[in-house]
Amino acid sequence: MDWLNDYEKELRLVFQESRKIISEFPEPLNSQGMSYLEHFNVFNAESHKNYICYLLPFWLQKSCGLSAEITRQMSMGNVFFMLYFFIQDDLMDSKESSTYERLPLANLLYVEFLNIYRLLFPNDSSFWTSFNRYIAQWADSVSNETTSDYFLNDRIKIPYKASPLKLSSTAALLLSGKDSLVPQSEEMIDSVLLTLQMLDDYEDWNEDLSEGSYNCLLSLTRSYLSTDKATTLTSKEVEFFLFTANGLRTYAELAQDTHRKVMASSLDIPHLLAFHSMLVTNLQQISDSIEAEKQLLQGGGLFYYLSKNIQ
């Protein structure tokens, strides 16, 4: 079982059709849209990979009995909605006055998402109630994460930044008559999204520190150092927490706790479990490598030099 390569053929069709639709947008929005799409295209080596966005409908396909066509449509809907929300993020983070260039594109992408899901669910479907709730969760999370310090005080709201992703899982369950499983799927996907954000925040902590962006790892560092939010952390303080105070081990253990919660779910989504296991393993391996390097340093300078320079 391979959570990615099992679906390579289907993903190529999803990106092929998404590219065709965006290419038909009016100029210059089509070229701008294609640029955004290629930035997240899983088949581009340098792209930003948002695997769970593209793949979640396929991971649910078998257990929900979805047809190949509907599954591809839902994945494509996720692609359009993902691009829409990434544009929102860019606009909120941007210091440039280029809003007018991207807002029209965002709205075209939003309409393409709606075109897909309006064919699947009538106006009175509970799908649209979930839609409203997920958008409200997203809005709350992106607006208040810094002032509320969600990682320490309300951790469930960390994954709410990606709440719209849950639309595809909710859609799959509703289409298969498994409405009662929606709360469990929401909880499971929120757990996976939390770990994904934690891993991203480890990789981005230096950039987030310099830009003043909210970051789960920096939040944990502040807690350890008893530093209030008004005080700016330094790189040396974060490095001390990570490399001297075993901070990354603590961080990885929190992800392990989340994985135990995910494993306890009764939902049959093995590819999602495998994806989460990969995220947790990555964090654990980074933590282990730091601990191994510390042991080498404690063993003496010459031993450390030889280990780094002699193959």
Side-chain angles (χ1 to χ4, degrees):
M1 180 184 67
D2 189 318
W3 57 265
L4 173 60
N5 293 320
D6 285 353
Y7 303 104
E8 178 178 348
K9 181 179 178 181
E10 288 85 351
L11 278 182
R12 288 192 182 279
L13 292 173
V14 166
F15 277 91
Q16 178 181 321
E17 184 61 22
S18 299
R19 193 178 296 110
K20 179 178 181 296
I21 290 173
I22 292 174
S23 71
E24 294 172 357
F25 288 176
E27 287 282 4
L29 302 179
N30 53 2
S31 57
Q32 293 173 10
M34 293 288 280
S35 177
Y36 265 98
L37 180 64
E38 292 310 304
H39 184 65
F40 294 99
N41 188 337
V42 69
F43 299 108
N44 288 347
E46 303 301 319
S47 69
H48 182 94
K49 308 297 192 296
N50 194 358
Y51 294 116
I52 190 171
C53 171
Y54 327 128
L55 287 165
L56 185 57
F58 292 106
W59 294 343
L60 290 158
Q61 181 179 5
K62 183 177 179 180
S63 63
C64 291
L66 302 177
S67 70
E69 176 60 25
I70 285 181
T71 305
R72 283 195 297 270
Q73 287 293 311
M74 290 170 59
S75 178
M76 192 163 62
N78 278 10
V79 169
F80 290 129
F81 223 30
M82 171 197 69
L83 295 178
Y84 170 80
F85 280 102
F86 271 111
I87 291 175
Q88 306 308 303
D89 288 344
D90 280 354
L91 293 176
M92 287 186 286
D93 294 340
S94 178
K95 305 295 188 295
E96 304 171 3
S97 57
S98 58
T99 302
Y100 73 95
E101 298 175 352
R102 285 176 282 182
L103 275 179
L105 173 61
N107 282 281
L108 287 177
L109 294 164
Y110 181 74
V111 167
E112 291 300 335
F113 162 83
L114 288 178
N115 286 343
I116 290 170
Y117 278 91
R118 281 188 301 204
L119 292 175
L120 297 175
F121 297 100
N123 292 338
D124 59 353
S125 169
S126 62
F127 172 83
W128 300 109
T129 302
S130 296
F131 174 91
N132 292 342
R133 182 160 51 87
Y134 299 154
I135 299 300
Q137 289 174 350
W138 168 81
D140 180 21
S141 181
V142 299
S143 300
N144 299 310
E145 66 177 354
T146 301
T147 55
S148 301
D149 198 350
Y150 288 146
F151 191 71
L152 291 183
N153 302 320
D154 200 0
R155 198 163 295 167
I156 185 58
K157 290 190 176 181
I158 294 291
Y160 280 4
K161 285 199 297 185
S163 261
L165 175 70
K166 292 179 289 193
L167 283 166
S168 60
S169 57
T170 296
L173 291 169
L174 293 178
L175 289 171
S176 60
K178 299 180 179 181
D179 308 36
S180 63
L181 297 180
V182 168
Q184 290 183 59
S185 74
E186 291 176 343
E187 184 177 3
M188 187 177 186
I189 292 168
D190 281 336
S191 295
V192 174
L193 291 173
L194 171 60
T195 302
L196 181 59
Q197 186 64 55
M198 288 175 64
L199 184 58
D200 285 348
D201 283 359
Y202 166 74
E203 295 171 348
D204 297 340
W205 73 261
N206 224 319
E207 180 182 351
D208 288 341
L209 181 64
S210 65
E211 295 180 353
S213 300
Y214 187 77
N215 181 293
C216 297
L217 184 57
L218 297 182
S219 174
L220 190 63
T221 304
R222 287 185 184 280
S223 175
Y224 174 82
L225 298 174
S226 299
T227 303
D228 61 51
K229 289 183 289 186
T231 304
T232 302
L233 284 174
T234 66
S235 294
K236 288 190 178 298
E237 287 174 324
V238 181
E239 289 167 357
F240 171 82
F241 176 66
L242 292 178
F243 306 120
T244 304
N246 298 326
L248 198 59
R249 177 186 291 175
T250 301
Y251 198 62
E253 287 172 351
L254 291 172
Q256 290 279 9
D257 290 342
T258 301
H259 191 56
R260 283 188 281 272
K261 179 180 177 182
V262 169
M263 291 292 291
S265 173
S266 61
L267 291 177
D268 180 26
I269 317 177
H271 287 91
L272 184 60
L273 289 174
F275 177 72
H276 190 255
S277 179
M278 180 271 293
L279 299 177
V280 175
T281 298
N282 283 355
L283 262 180
Q284 189 61 56
Q285 288 176 342
I286 296 167
S287 174
D288 290 345
S289 68
I290 290 173
E291 292 304 309
E293 190 142 321
K294 283 170 60 178
Q295 292 299 317
L296 290 174
L297 284 169
Q298 291 168 4
L302 177 61
F303 180 56
Y304 177 73
Y305 174 84
L306 292 174
S307 70
K308 298 289 282 186
N309 293 279
I310 297 179
Q311 302 299 322

